């Protein structure tokens, strides 16, 4: 029965996670500049990869880049530096998929917490992080550049991550 069904319903594979590499940066930057008024530069991404930061991309079955993250490992913690999903793919659970991968990486490297900064005005991201169990832990005044030479505060958020093996 399932063989017949598979012939009638087109197979749609789930997006796949891959390590971010320099050849993927054109696609990453295309999303980055559409998503942010003050995007990361190619140099920011290259420096992050060269420093050994954890960076993953989420690719559709056809190879289209859906989203990505960059995170920096610290002592028993992970700092999420950038998490972005292409606008046309937002609201479909891809950010949660990327975060799930980040949590798994945390567990494998004994990081017991994830930390991040988010623009105070980024209500959609703040809501996602709240749903994911992140709590506000502080504020970084004038952290982000803003239009007309102004600055915007960042909210510092954190969430615990169970260690591998439940410890």
């Amino acid at each position: 029965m399932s063989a017949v069904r598979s012939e009638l319903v087109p197979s749609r594979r789930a997006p796949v996670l891959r390590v971010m590499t320099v050849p993927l940066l054109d696609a990453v930057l295309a999303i980055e500049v559409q998503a942010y008024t003050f995007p990361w530069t190619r140099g920011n991404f290259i420096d992050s990869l060269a420093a050994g930061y954890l960076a993953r991309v989420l690719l559709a079955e056809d190879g289209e880049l859906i989203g990505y993250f960059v995170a920096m490992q610290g002592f028993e913690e992970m700092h999420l530096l950038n998490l972005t999903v292409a606008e046309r793919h937002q609201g479909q659970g891809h950010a949660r998929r990327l975060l799930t991968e980040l949590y798994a990486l945390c567990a494998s490297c004994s990081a017991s917490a994830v930390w991040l900064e988010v623009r105070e005005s980024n209500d959609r991201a703040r809501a996602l992080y709240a749903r994911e169990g992140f709590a506000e832990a502080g504020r970084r005044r004038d952290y982000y550049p803003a239009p007309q030479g102004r600055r915007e505060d960042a909210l510092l958020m954190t969430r615990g991550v169970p260690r591998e093996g439940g410890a």
Side-chain angles (χ1 to χ4, degrees):
M1 180 80 168
S2 64
V4 172
R5 179 169 170 73
S6 67
E7 291 174 17
L8 299 175
V9 178
S11 171
R12 190 100 189 154
R13 285 192 226 145
V16 295
L17 286 155
R18 297 280 186 254
V19 172
M20 184 186 292
T21 59
V22 172
L24 291 167
L25 290 185
D26 285 342
V28 168
L29 285 164
I31 293 173
E32 183 76 9
V33 299
Q34 288 181 353
Y36 302 110
T37 306
F38 298 93
W40 276 27
T41 65
R42 178 179 294 276
N44 293 135
F45 284 103
I46 288 173
D47 290 348
S48 295
L49 296 176
Y53 293 174
L54 299 173
R56 299 292 184 269
V57 295
L58 186 61
L59 300 168
E61 183 177 10
D62 64 2
E64 177 188 5
L65 182 65
I66 293 171
Y68 51 88
F69 74 78
V70 178
M72 178 179 66
Q73 186 177 347
F75 180 70
E76 296 185 353
E77 66 182 30
M78 191 71 70
H79 190 145
L80 179 60
L81 302 173
N82 189 326
L83 171 69
T84 308
V85 173
E87 186 176 7
R88 75 184 207 92
H89 292 288
Q90 291 179 4
Q92 299 173 43
H94 299 304
R96 290 185 117 165
R97 172 96 187 272
L98 288 162
L99 286 169
T100 298
E101 172 70 3
L102 179 63
Y103 306 148
L105 291 168
C106 287
S108 70
C109 65
S110 299
S112 59
V114 177
W115 291 84
L116 61 85
E117 289 90 8
V118 61
R119 282 183 183 270
E120 186 172 29
S121 65
N122 192 341
D123 294 331
R124 191 168 189 175
R126 290 174 56 198
L128 167 70
Y129 296 135
R131 284 192 308 272
E132 284 291 305
F134 283 83
E136 192 174 326
R139 174 182 299 266
R140 298 192 194 279
R141 298 249 179 243
D142 299 330
Y143 186 78
Y144 290 110
Q148 288 116 22
R150 295 184 179 157
R151 304 292 297 178
E152 181 177 357
D153 290 355
L155 299 179
L156 181 62
M157 301 184 82
T158 189
R159 176 208 148 135
V161 179
R163 292 188 183 206
E164 201 166 52

